[in-house]
Amino acid sequence: MSLEEKLEKIRSPKLQNQKETSVVLSAVEDTLRDENHGQSPTAYFAAILALLAQAIFPSNGTINKELTSSVVYLLDLVVPHVPTPLLRSKFPQILTSLAPALTSDDAEAPLLRSSIGSLESLLVAQDAVAWALPQTQIGPRRAVAGLLTLASDQKPKVRKRAQEAITTILKNPPPSPSLDHPVADMCAETALKTASHVLAMSNTRKKKSKDYTQDQHQPDLLHALHLVKIIASASGGWPSKKIEPLCELLMAVSRSHNEYLTMTAFEVFEVLFRGMADQMSSPKLPRLMEAISELKPSQNDSQLLPPWLAVISRGYDVSAQISPEETFHKLPSLFDMVSAFLLSSSHDIRVSASECLISFLVDCIPDTVIVEPSVFDEKIFEKLALAAEGLLSVRYQSAWTEVFNVEAALFQVLRWRAFPLTRSIVHTIGDLRASDSFNGKKEADTVLGTAIRAMGPYAILETLPLNLINSQKGYPGRAWLLPLLRDNVINTELSHFRSEFVPLSEAMYQRVIDHGESDKTVEVKIFETIVHQTWALFPGYCNLPLDLATTFDQGFAELLSNLLYSQPDLRTNICRALQTLVESNQGILALEADEGVLRFQCRMTKTDAQSNLDHLARFAGNLLAVLFNVYSQTLPQYRGYILQCINAYLSITPETELLETFHRVTDMLESSLADLASQPPSEKQPSKEVSPSQMPPTSHTLMDLIITISVYLPLSTFPRLLTLTSRILPLNHDAQLLKKAYKLIPRLATSTNGALALQTRNQDLQSLLLSSASTASAPARRDRLLAIATAIDHLPPTDFHFIPSVLSEIVIATKEVNEKARSVAFDLLVLMGRKMSAGGTIEQAKIPHMGNDAPTVSASLEEFCTMISAGLVGSTPHMVSASITALTRILYEFHTQLSKSVVEDFISTIDLFLSSPNREIVASCLGFTKVAVTALPKEIVAPRLGTLVPGLLGWSREHKGRFRTKVKHIFERMIRRFGVELIERCTPEEGKALIHNIRKTKERKKRKKTEAKEADDDEVGRDQRARERKGRFESEYEEAIYGSEEDDSSAASSDDDGPRALGKSSKRSNTKKESSKGTYITNPPNADPLDLLSATALSHISTTKPAPVTLKQPRLKTKMRRDPDNGKLIFGTAATAAGGEAEDVDMDEPGDDTTLEG
């Protein structure tokens, strides 16, 4: 920001405290105008210095507080724009003038901040000669001493401003050969003295006071450490001479239990290391690391040792960035030094030591020594492997978890160089894993899995053989290695699988065959499991194999083909492996990484990957033939992985072989269609759902293959594809085949050639879709709509007559029962609207059922709305309702692009339809009204409320189709947007009860919301409502149509007539709802208190409130007999007098000679 912009803000102040500064600035500018000095920065500077002499009197230390703050504030603004020579010459004068303001005890924070800002600009402008003056003279060093004092001030804003000034000064040193600023030593020494003094005082108070704990915040020490961090982060870093005392101080602070102090000390170390990561400050790093190493705590110091290890690991991380070779050569000695701490009895020390060792391995071993190690580098590797092997001895038994983490990191870093150096480590961990008494099998699996990824399976199996074929005593079988190999094999030699596991699979499978057809024993099932686990390794071996060109030959391809035919259980793994062979190499080609990075990560380059794909392409034709046959023999629910594999090999198949494959499959499909067409009409029954256990017709399978091949075909094949599709679309008796034919068109759009073909042959596609409209079945509706969307997406601007040709079908589809088809229809309407709004021509003479003399019109959004509006005069209510629904979607999407008159015509038209007696039409009108109320501008909807509101109220008492609820939701939206007063004015007297109900319900909810819940509960509620809202609606359009602020339950509760419609809810229902919450103890009256420890206590606990128990009077027994003549029941004395056999009946109140009509 320029000086003029800063001063302009002061001339027109917005805050009260800036008005006095504005007055002073006005006086300065008046003076400059009177003396004709101009308004340059130098002129402002001179005038402000003259005012400063009147505001502050250095001789007696008095300050004119009313004037000083404004003058120093202006000085702070002007000084950065003054020439440097002038600032150097005026520095003693300004420092003398500002000294009373800086040293005054009652100086306010704004004055101090402005004074600090002025000094900052002045000190940055000083040269090396000025900085050489001692602190006893009036010079820059004295000013910095004052800033260091203010950097520990109690006022937060003053302290922050002083620290920022010190940072700026140290980052802008004068030109000199030294790395450090001339005043850096003084700043470091002052900050160290301050921090040491505060720490000593803290320790003294701790010793004297029993109540004092180091867990207190200790703000003075935090401020002092922050000042140290600021000085260390400046240019040049911390001065070299002060590194040792700083390390001692920081390690002493790290001993504290106060986490804030410990974190601050670590932050200072981090700043030190970060500052030394550049080449300018790197010479200081050895001295710093030497100082930290000399401060090594004792082996059992659980407070100081973990932070010391963290600092050491970070320091050598920086050292590895500056001098990687030198740090790598130190690694064995560092490894031995830190690994000794794994013997500690403290768990925290062991964990910190293991993390430090892992950090050494990850950070201090360069990639270059892995790719091309020298003889000396290999000796370093041997020393590291020997040290890591020693960690597996009995001495480190208590730290075996941490040791396993270190071993895993060693494998991960050394990668393939770990073999054969770490063979003994693998053998030891394998023996531990095989021991039944060892409890760390999971951790051992993690280490072995890392070793498999790093060295490859051949290295592991050479050390830990499986011993499954010829198991002997003393050579245990290791079948537990197979799952580990399955999860971790990658980027290794494919030849190892062929030489090791193919014979194993054959031997195990032969044992299964030798067993015959008898019932399988446990041993046979184990053999089958081993076969499956063996081939489960195959996909891992096929992930970037290093020897693909030499191992994958004709014999191996024939072996895989035979297995695909003969063993269906292995098809999944084999297809996944074949697919991985292609896709992993294609992934390498798609990467933008450097060749060196690729060689380090996967030991291959893009050239190697391309040669692998070229090699696989030679087998693609034969493999595709096998996969096609296997695909046709597999049930539909298990075909997915086969199709993915086919897709992968089609992407690398040469064009000539691809065309041969395509023509062969197409010929077979045409032959199948010809056979289907030759069937008599009586046999062409509509296709039924195919049972999951039945194979689909051959035509379905062939069509799946053509859809898969289509995206890889050249342009010359697309005429035949369209011809084939035209033969299938009239076959309305086979819905599944029809769906597949429609799916072919969107599939073509996913490829470059296919999209180009759809554009060049779009007219043929239009004719095909129009001619097949009459044969489209309901199951294929969604796929047909997607095909139409693809055609419209590639439609040229001159062929927009296709849009009105299919528009009626799309409009009707918006009322489809199938939700997916309905959603596609809505999206298709939007796509049509966007196409029409982009412009084009519509030759109406080409539209079916239009005359040849129909004029050509220009495409526009208004014209599209006119086309849809034609359906409003349809002959059926279903068509009218669909047209209104389509207009609703268009209005919601394009209301900002439509003219005001068109929108008003829409509203007035729908207003008329609200009075229709047909519920289907009215339901669509309600949706339109809701979108209009929520989406359209207020100035368009408000004038129509006078007719809309009465029309809506006419359906407010209709319960069928939830009309009452929908109308209420619309009124809720209207009230929320236009206000209850306007809606009430537009509402007739007989409909105001609904408005009152909505208003009272809203007030009641608002009152309940303000009464309850803490902030956390409210946040949880918002998250839950957001999830419910997200889950209820698929799109913003559906939310606008169906959404409401009120819950369905509350709306449904007001659907009934009577008092509830006016908001008078039943107290009984509320009481019942409230009583259903909680847990109650049911205990009979006059019983003993319930013993909750009793085994029967659970039977007396209920989630519903028990009804009060009332004691009934004992029932009296009376005699009853039935009159044989008329069947009447006679009670009381009459029954006894009548004689005969009577029955005892329980009666609450016996009557005399009472009869009940039977």
Side-chain angles (χ1 to χ4, degrees):
M1 187 181 294
S2 64
L3 176 61
E4 183 60 29
E5 293 174 342
K6 296 178 181 178
L7 296 177
E8 185 61 32
K9 288 186 176 182
I10 299 176
R11 295 187 187 106
S12 54
K14 297 181 180 180
L15 301 176
Q16 184 68 27
N17 57 358
Q18 292 180 347
K19 291 185 177 179
E20 186 175 348
T21 307
S22 177
V23 173
V24 174
L25 177 61
S26 178
V28 170
E29 291 178 340
D30 291 342
T31 303
L32 294 178
R33 278 193 296 267
D34 294 342
E35 298 179 0
N36 296 324
H37 288 309
Q39 295 184 350
S40 64
T42 305
Y44 277 111
F45 181 65
I48 292 172
L49 284 184
L51 279 177
L52 185 63
Q54 301 175 17
I56 301 177
F57 303 96
S59 57
N60 54 11
T62 58
I63 301 175
N64 184 354
K65 294 184 179 181
E66 297 179 357
L67 182 61
T68 303
S69 296
S70 302
V71 174
V72 177
Y73 182 78
L74 292 174
L75 181 65
D76 186 18
L77 293 181
V78 173
V79 167
H81 303 277
V82 177
T84 301
L86 182 59
L87 292 179
R88 293 174 181 170
S89 62
K90 293 294 182 180
F91 178 76
Q93 175 188 347
I94 299 175
L95 180 60
T96 304
S97 300
L98 292 178
L102 292 169
T103 58
S104 176
D105 294 335
D106 57 348
E108 297 179 352
L111 175 59
L112 290 174
R113 293 203 307 271
S114 301
S115 301
I116 292 170
S118 303
L119 281 180
E120 176 187 337
S121 302
L122 287 167
L123 291 171
V124 170
Q126 302 306 305
D127 54 10
V129 177
W131 284 109
L133 294 175
Q135 190 173 343
T136 55
Q137 297 184 16
I138 300 177
R141 290 181 176 270
R142 178 175 290 188
V144 172
L147 290 178
L148 289 171
T149 303
L150 292 174
S152 300
D153 196 88
Q154 297 298 323
K155 304 181 185 67
K157 293 184 178 180
V158 174
R159 184 173 64 249
K160 181 181 179 181
R161 187 66 186 90
Q163 292 171 352
E164 291 174 352
I166 293 172
T167 303
T168 305
I169 293 167
L170 293 177
K171 286 185 176 181
N172 294 275
S176 67
S178 175
L179 293 177
D180 299 330
H181 196 284
V183 80
D185 286 341
M186 187 188 81
C187 293
E189 184 176 358
T190 304
L192 273 177
K193 285 182 178 180
T194 303
S196 301
H197 176 71
V198 174
L199 181 61
M201 293 295 295
S202 173
N203 294 334
T204 303
R205 287 196 300 269
K206 178 185 177 182
K207 293 178 181 179
K208 291 183 178 180
S209 175
K210 295 182 180 180
D211 299 332
Y212 180 82
T213 61
Q214 279 194 337
D215 292 337
Q216 296 176 358
H217 290 298
Q218 304 181 42
D220 295 340
L221 186 55
L222 283 173
H223 299 159
L225 290 175
H226 191 61
L227 178 60
V228 171
K229 184 171 71 172
I230 286 175
I231 297 172
S233 63
S235 179
W238 189 262
S240 302
K241 299 178 181 179
K242 306 296 180 183
I243 287 179
E244 290 86 351
L246 175 62
C247 292
E248 293 180 5
L249 172 68
L250 294 177
M251 295 307 296
V253 173
S254 301
R255 189 186 293 271
S256 171
H257 290 290
N258 190 328
E259 60 180 1
Y260 298 105
L261 291 176
T262 305
M263 289 172 57
T264 306
F266 285 161
E267 288 174 0
V268 177
F269 273 119
E270 179 65 27
V271 168
L272 286 173
F273 292 131
R274 193 188 313 132
M276 295 178 184
D278 58 71
Q279 295 296 327
M280 294 294 293
S281 303
S282 57
K284 300 178 182 180
L285 184 61
R287 189 167 185 176
L288 175 60
M289 296 307 302
E290 182 181 353
I292 295 174
S293 300
E294 291 176 355
L295 295 173
K296 183 174 73 170
S298 64
Q299 189 167 347
N300 295 318
D301 191 342
S302 59
Q303 293 184 10
L304 197 55
L305 198 53
W308 181 81
L309 289 170
V311 172
I312 282 287
S313 64
R314 176 61 179 136
Y316 280 102
D317 178 18
V318 177
S319 177
Q321 298 174 25
I322 297 173
S323 54
E325 290 291 337
E326 183 180 351
T327 307
F328 174 64
H329 295 161
K330 296 179 182 178
L331 189 55
S333 59
L334 293 174
F335 198 91
D336 293 337
M337 177 187 70
V338 177
S339 60
F341 296 113
L342 291 173
L343 297 171
S344 175
S345 59
S346 173
H347 178 264
D348 293 339
I349 293 178
R350 296 198 302 268
V351 171
S352 299
S354 65
E355 291 176 350
C356 183
L357 290 173
I358 294 172
S359 175
F360 285 162
L361 294 173
V362 173
D363 299 328
C364 300
I365 299 181
D367 296 345
T368 53
V369 301
I370 300 294
V371 178
E372 297 178 356
S374 63
V375 176
F376 186 73
D377 294 337
E378 291 180 350
K379 291 182 179 180
I380 299 292
F381 288 152
E382 292 177 2
K383 292 179 180 180
L384 286 175
L386 189 61
E389 182 183 352
L391 296 179
L392 294 173
S393 63
V394 181
R395 296 174 58 202
Y396 299 94
Q397 184 176 3
S398 60
W400 66 267
T401 305
E402 291 79 15
V403 168
F404 275 14
N405 293 334
V406 175
E407 305 290 0
L410 180 66
F411 287 122
Q412 188 174 3
V413 171
L414 295 184
R415 301 174 67 83
W416 64 91
R417 297 295 177 190
F419 183 78
L421 300 175
T422 58
R423 178 182 295 178
S424 58
I425 297 177
V426 173
H427 190 276
T428 303
I429 296 178
D431 290 345
L432 288 173
R433 169 63 176 80
S435 176
D436 296 334
S437 60
F438 185 62
N439 297 325
K441 288 183 170 56
K442 182 178 180 181
E443 291 78 3
D445 286 346
T446 302
V447 179
L448 292 175
T450 308
I452 293 169
R453 286 195 301 273
M455 300 188 298
Y458 64 93
I460 303 298
L461 295 180
E462 185 175 328
T463 307
L464 301 173
L466 292 174
N467 295 330
L468 295 179
I469 298 179
N470 297 318
S471 58
Q472 300 176 4
K473 186 176 181 180
Y475 297 92
R478 296 186 177 92
W480 52 268
L481 272 176
L482 292 176
L484 284 179
L485 293 168
R486 178 198 61 203
D487 297 336
N488 295 284
V489 170
I490 185 175
N491 192 207
T492 187
E493 288 79 6
L494 183 59
S495 58
H496 182 257
F497 178 85
R498 190 172 178 180
S499 62
E500 178 77 17
F501 289 103
V502 170
L504 174 63
S505 173
E506 292 174 350
M508 294 294 120
Y509 189 67
Q510 185 62 42
R511 295 182 184 182
V512 175
I513 295 176
D514 294 343
H515 183 72
E517 298 295 333
S518 58
D519 294 339
K520 294 181 181 179
T521 62
V522 175
E523 188 178 18
V524 172
K525 292 181 179 179
I526 291 175
F527 295 152
E528 290 181 342
T529 303
I530 292 176
V531 172
H532 293 157
Q533 289 182 337
T534 300
W535 284 99
L537 308 179
F538 191 39
Y541 277 92
C542 292
N543 194 343
L544 295 177
L546 301 176
D547 56 350
L548 176 64
T550 57
T551 304
F552 198 95
D553 53 14
Q554 185 65 30
F556 193 55
E558 291 176 357
L559 171 65
L560 297 178
S561 301
N562 293 331
L563 290 174
L564 285 173
Y565 283 124
S566 61
Q567 298 191 41
D569 293 342
L570 303 181
R571 288 176 181 174
T572 303
N573 290 321
I574 295 176
C575 288
R576 280 181 51 215
L578 292 174
Q579 179 185 350
T580 305
L581 275 177
V582 176
E583 293 181 350
S584 60
N585 286 280
Q586 288 177 338
I588 293 294
L589 294 176
L591 292 176
E592 297 180 358
D594 184 69
E595 292 288 336
V597 176
L598 289 176
R599 184 173 294 277
F600 172 72
Q601 290 181 348
C602 52
R603 290 186 283 175
M604 63 188 309
T605 61
K606 292 185 177 181
T607 305
D608 299 332
Q610 185 60 55
S611 63
N612 288 341
L613 292 176
D614 295 341
H615 178 74
L616 288 174
R618 302 189 190 103
F619 301 92
N622 294 331
L623 284 176
L624 284 175
V626 173
L627 291 171
F628 286 172
N629 293 332
V630 172
Y631 183 84
S632 63
Q633 298 170 8
T634 307
L635 293 174
Q637 60 267 31
Y638 304 118
R639 287 178 169 181
Y641 62 89
I642 304 176
L643 208 58
Q644 293 174 2
C645 185
I646 291 173
N647 206 33
Y649 279 87
L650 285 171
S651 63
I652 63 171
T653 304
E655 184 173 332
T656 54
E657 294 186 16
L658 187 65
L659 288 175
E660 292 176 3
T661 303
F662 168 71
H663 290 307
R664 186 165 57 250
V665 175
T666 306
D667 292 341
M668 294 173 63
L669 179 58
E670 289 177 347
S671 174
S672 177
L673 293 177
D675 295 341
L676 193 63
S678 62
Q679 293 179 356
S682 59
E683 298 182 9
K684 295 180 181 180
Q685 299 296 331
S687 61
K688 298 181 180 180
E689 190 71 23
V690 180
S691 173
S693 60
Q694 294 180 358
M695 296 297 295
T698 306
S699 58
H700 293 189
T701 302
L702 295 174
M703 195 63 200
D704 286 338
L705 297 177
I706 288 179
I707 293 174
T708 306
I709 299 173
S710 60
V711 294
Y712 304 102
L713 294 175
L715 287 173
S716 58
T717 60
F718 286 92
R720 188 172 185 183
L721 275 177
L722 289 178
T723 304
L724 184 64
T725 307
S726 64
R727 294 186 59 182
I728 297 175
L729 292 183
L731 304 176
N732 56 355
H733 62 277
D734 195 340
Q736 293 298 321
L737 187 60
L738 206 61
K739 290 173 65 175
K740 295 179 186 299
Y742 281 122
K743 285 180 180 178
L744 176 62
I745 298 173
R747 169 77 172 172
L748 291 174
T750 59
S751 66
T752 305
N753 287 339
L756 182 60
L758 290 175
Q759 291 176 355
T760 56
R761 306 187 66 86
N762 199 271
Q763 292 185 354
D764 297 338
L765 182 59
Q766 296 173 32
S767 303
L768 178 63
L769 292 173
L770 290 175
S771 61
S772 60
S774 58
T775 59
S777 59
R781 183 72 61 194
R782 174 178 175 272
D783 297 295
R784 174 175 170 80
L785 293 176
L786 288 173
I788 294 175
T790 304
I792 292 178
D793 196 24
H794 296 83
L795 201 64
T798 56
D799 288 352
F800 275 13
H801 60 273
F802 179 69
I803 292 179
S805 301
V806 297
L807 182 58
S808 59
E809 181 181 356
I810 310 305
V811 170
I812 289 293
T814 59
K815 303 288 289 184
E816 278 284 334
V817 177
N818 188 308
E819 181 182 358
K820 294 182 179 180
R822 192 169 63 245
S823 177
V824 173
F826 283 128
D827 294 341
L828 187 49
L829 281 174
V830 174
L831 176 62
M832 288 178 169
R834 289 174 181 163
K835 277 285 186 180
M836 294 286 285
S837 62
T841 57
I842 305 175
E843 298 181 27
Q844 298 191 74
K846 295 183 178 180
I847 301 175
H849 310 298
M850 293 287 288
N852 294 330
D853 56 347
T856 300
V857 297
S858 299
S860 65
L861 197 57
E862 286 76 9
E863 181 67 22
F864 183 57
C865 294
T866 304
M867 296 176 185
I868 300 176
S869 301
L872 297 177
V873 296
S875 57
T876 62
H878 187 72
M879 183 63 193
V880 176
S881 174
S883 300
I884 296 174
T885 303
L887 284 175
T888 304
R889 185 67 181 94
I890 296 301
L891 179 69
Y892 179 81
E893 187 71 27
F894 301 103
H895 64 273
T896 57
Q897 303 177 31
L898 292 171
S899 62
K900 183 178 179 181
S901 59
V902 173
V903 176
E904 289 177 344
D905 291 342
F906 280 173
I907 299 176
S908 60
T909 304
I910 302 303
D911 195 3
L912 296 176
F913 280 105
L914 273 175
S915 59
S916 172
N918 187 278
R919 288 190 179 89
E920 185 179 7
I921 295 177
V922 173
S924 299
C925 292
L926 293 179
F928 181 94
T929 306
K930 192 169 186 179
V931 169
V933 167
T934 56
L936 295 182
K938 291 182 179 180
E939 58 270 15
I940 295 180
V941 182
R944 307 295 308 179
L945 291 177
T947 55
L948 278 176
V949 170
L952 291 171
L953 287 173
W955 296 93
S956 62
R957 294 186 177 276
E958 179 64 48
H959 291 275
K960 291 184 178 180
R962 292 172 54 87
F963 274 36
R964 180 183 180 84
T965 302
K966 294 176 182 178
V967 170
K968 184 180 179 182
H969 290 173
I970 295 175
F971 273 101
E972 289 170 358
R973 295 295 184 95
M974 287 194 296
I975 291 173
R976 192 158 64 244
R977 192 169 190 209
F978 299 100
V980 69
E981 293 81 7
L982 177 60
I983 303 302
E984 281 188 340
R985 285 200 302 268
C986 300
T987 305
E989 192 64 33
E990 61 273 11
K992 289 188 176 181
L994 178 62
I995 307 302
H996 295 326
N997 177 26
I998 294 173
R999 184 174 60 182
K1000 290 174 67 176
T1001 303
K1002 185 177 181 180
E1003 291 174 353
R1004 182 167 60 252
K1005 286 197 170 187
K1006 185 177 181 181
R1007 185 169 60 251
K1008 288 182 179 180
K1009 186 176 181 180
T1010 55
E1011 284 175 358
K1013 307 302 179 186
E1014 301 174 352
D1016 291 341
D1017 294 340
D1018 192 27
E1019 184 176 355
V1020 171
R1022 285 196 301 270
D1023 293 343
Q1024 183 177 359
R1025 288 193 296 272
R1027 288 193 298 268
E1028 291 175 355
R1029 179 178 180 183
K1030 182 178 179 180
R1032 287 178 62 190
F1033 305 109
E1034 294 293 334
S1035 63
E1036 293 182 0
Y1037 170 71
E1038 291 191 2
E1039 182 179 354
I1041 291 289
Y1042 306 113
S1044 172
E1045 184 182 25
E1046 307 292 343
D1047 294 332
D1048 290 342
S1049 58
S1050 63
S1053 65
S1054 61
D1055 285 348
D1056 301 334
D1057 293 334
R1060 292 190 182 183
L1062 301 177
K1064 299 177 181 179
S1065 59
S1066 172
K1067 293 183 179 180
R1068 180 182 299 177
S1069 62
N1070 292 340
T1071 305
K1072 183 176 181 181
K1073 183 181 293 186
E1074 293 173 1
S1075 65
S1076 64
K1077 299 177 181 179
T1079 306
Y1080 302 91
I1081 295 176
T1082 59
N1083 212 23
N1086 300 328
D1088 293 334
L1090 179 63
D1091 183 8
L1092 295 177
L1093 298 179
S1094 172
T1096 60
L1098 192 61
S1099 62
H1100 295 276
I1101 298 176
S1102 173
T1103 57
T1104 57
K1105 188 174 181 179
V1109 179
T1110 58
L1111 297 177
K1112 295 184 178 180
Q1113 295 293 331
R1115 293 185 174 183
L1116 301 177
K1117 288 188 176 181
T1118 184
K1119 298 295 182 180
M1120 175 200 73
R1121 110 168 173 59
R1122 186 181 299 275
D1123 190 336
D1125 297 331
N1126 52 21
K1128 295 179 179 180
L1129 295 178
I1130 304 174
F1131 297 91
T1133 56
T1136 307
E1141 188 176 353
E1143 301 177 2
D1144 291 336
V1145 179
D1146 291 338
M1147 296 293 295
D1148 291 338
E1149 296 181 0
D1152 298 333
D1153 297 332
T1154 306
T1155 62
L1156 296 177
E1157 296 293 337

